[in-house]
Amino acid sequence: SRAWANSMYGDGMKSFWTIFELTFSGCWPNYARRIIEEVHPLYSLFYFLYVYIVVFVVTRIVAALFVRETMTQYANDADSMVKERMKKSHWVRQSLSALFDEADTNRDGFLDIDEMRALFAYPKVRLWLTELGVDASDPDSLINLLDSGDGWKVNCDDFTHGISRLKGEARSQDLVPVYNHVKRILCHVKQLHKTADSVAQQSANHERVYRTCLV
């Protein structure tokens, strides 16, 4: 027991290393039980207070502080990402608005089909739109997507909003409404088909009755 106690607590360095292992190794009974049982039972008071205050309380408080700091840093990173994305979106809208002003040669506040074709004919404009994720290889198809039904005229808001919506790959939340519209159109077409068949059948019946009456 004396040899073991001397090897563990014989001087300052040995005691420091033993307490370090006792604190962080998780096997503190191996370092405390022999001292309590073979040296003096009053050492149990010291180990009780040390293990309770330092091993369980302080270490868990430190761990909680580290976790809190990590979560705070994560939240800051998320906020920074959102701010960066908003900043980029604002810059894209400003750039599109400036592009609209350059393309609006007659200064009427609208881009007609000729102005849009002239705009999308510039290689730099097509390259920039490609970098944004907008396929500008077919200008007429892009113009059809931007047209809001106002006689092939697009104002600044429709232009910037349309390009922003077309930017990037198609998303599910954009495709689902299209799918629902197509389903409704298909239902209307089927109803029209049934109505047309019914009208044709009635017309044929009326024609047979008319011919019978003539005979």
Side-chain angles (χ1 to χ4, degrees), residues 26-161:
C27 54
W28 58 268
N30 297 333
Y31 300 96
R33 182 174 295 277
R34 292 188 66 178
I35 294 295
I36 296 171
E37 292 179 350
E38 300 178 11
V39 178
H40 201 286
L42 287 178
Y43 280 107
S44 60
L45 182 61
F46 165 77
Y47 284 110
F48 172 78
L49 295 176
Y50 182 82
V51 171
Y52 179 77
I53 296 175
V54 177
V55 176
F56 287 105
V57 177
V58 175
T59 55
R60 280 159 177 74
I61 290 176
V62 172
L65 290 176
F66 275 113
V67 172
R68 179 182 177 184
E69 183 66 24
T70 302
M71 296 303 294
T72 302
Q73 187 65 32
Y74 174 78
N76 292 335
D77 292 342
D79 291 340
S80 299
M81 183 179 64
V82 171
K83 291 179 181 179
E84 186 66 24
R85 181 168 294 184
M86 292 178 61
K87 182 178 179 181
K88 183 178 180 181
S89 178
H90 182 67
W91 175 81
V92 169
R93 288 183 176 274
Q94 283 186 334
S95 300
L96 290 173
S97 179
L99 186 64
F100 179 90
D101 293 336
E102 290 292 331
D104 187 16
T105 55
N106 57 8
R107 304 303 179 193
D108 63 346
F110 292 91
L111 292 182
D112 56 27
I113 187 170
D114 294 330
E115 290 173 329
M116 285 190 285
R117 283 176 176 171
L119 173 64
F120 297 137
Y122 286 100
K124 289 185 177 180
V125 174
R126 291 202 302 268
L127 180 61
W128 184 64
L129 292 176
T130 301
E131 291 295 325
L132 291 179
V134 178
D135 185 12
S137 58
D138 188 357
D140 290 337
S141 298
L142 184 58
I143 292 171
N144 289 331
L145 292 174
L146 293 176
D147 180 39
S148 59
D150 296 332
W152 297 103
K153 285 189 175 183
V154 178
N155 59 27
C156 184
D157 291 336
D158 291 337
F159 180 78
T160 56
H161 181 69

Side-chain angles (χ1 to χ4, degrees), residues 11 54 132 183 189 199:
D11 55 31
V54 177
L132 291 179
K183 284 182 62 178
V189 170
V199 171

